[in-house]
Amino acid sequence: MKIILTKQEMFYSGVAGLSRQLESVVNNRSPRFSEKYSGELLGYHIYGAMAEMVVCKAFGWYWDYSMNTFHVSDIPGKNIDVRFSRMNTLKIRPDDNNIIVVSVSGDMPNFKVNGWMYSEDGKRPQWERDYNNQGRPAYFVPHEELLNPYDLKDVVS
């Protein structure tokens, strides 16, 4: 499912991502992973916020530009966590419990909703990885195993 963000949508979701990064720095939050290069975390925050905007645009849902809502749905009133990645897998963390996880990829302004999966269905031993042996294993579900993005609206009310 391809979604193109407008200039205004990119601006507002980009500002939300920037705000998330600034808030993390000001409050001395420890990142889950260290940066490989300067600005990497800022990019993750911006693209993560844009991915949330993409999913809301795709399904006609409201997005509230949220900040500091850890382990709470990325989309108000839905039980959904949105994950942006340039890899061909959807990351499901061990502490993702009873949620729908949606995969988004792409580059401004062109994005793609790759599919989705219930968190519990993605926790299969064959998909578990601990990249770079950082002691933070997660499940990386291949995109071809994801459920059709067009079916998501029927599942989520």
PDB file of all heavy atoms in Angstrom, residues 3 24 100:
ATOM      1  N   ILE A   3       1.716   5.229   0.022  1.00  0.00           N
ATOM      2  CA  ILE A   3       1.172   6.469   0.554  1.00  0.00           C
ATOM      3  C   ILE A   3       2.182   7.583   0.288  1.00  0.00           C
ATOM      4  O   ILE A   3       3.377   7.417   0.570  1.00  0.00           O
ATOM      5  CB  ILE A   3       0.910   6.366   2.078  1.00  0.00           C
ATOM      6  CG1 ILE A   3      -0.070   5.248   2.395  1.00  0.00           C
ATOM      7  CG2 ILE A   3       0.439   7.708   2.643  1.00  0.00           C
ATOM      8  CD1 ILE A   3      -1.470   5.446   1.856  1.00  0.00           C
ATOM      9  N   SER A  24      14.063  13.940  24.398  1.00  0.00           N
ATOM     10  CA  SER A  24      14.935  12.862  24.893  1.00  0.00           C
ATOM     11  C   SER A  24      16.285  13.402  25.349  1.00  0.00           C
ATOM     12  O   SER A  24      16.806  13.008  26.390  1.00  0.00           O
ATOM     13  CB  SER A  24      15.154  11.812  23.799  1.00  0.00           C
ATOM     14  OG  SER A  24      13.969  11.127  23.532  1.00  0.00           O
ATOM     15  N   ILE A 100      -1.159  -4.841  17.783  1.00  0.00           N
ATOM     16  CA  ILE A 100      -0.926  -4.990  16.349  1.00  0.00           C
ATOM     17  C   ILE A 100       0.292  -4.140  16.021  1.00  0.00           C
ATOM     18  O   ILE A 100       0.379  -2.986  16.437  1.00  0.00           O
ATOM     19  CB  ILE A 100      -2.151  -4.531  15.550  1.00  0.00           C
ATOM     20  CG1 ILE A 100      -3.311  -5.490  15.784  1.00  0.00           C
ATOM     21  CG2 ILE A 100      -1.814  -4.412  14.065  1.00  0.00           C
ATOM     22  CD1 ILE A 100      -4.631  -5.033  15.211  1.00  0.00           C
TER      23      ILE A 100
END
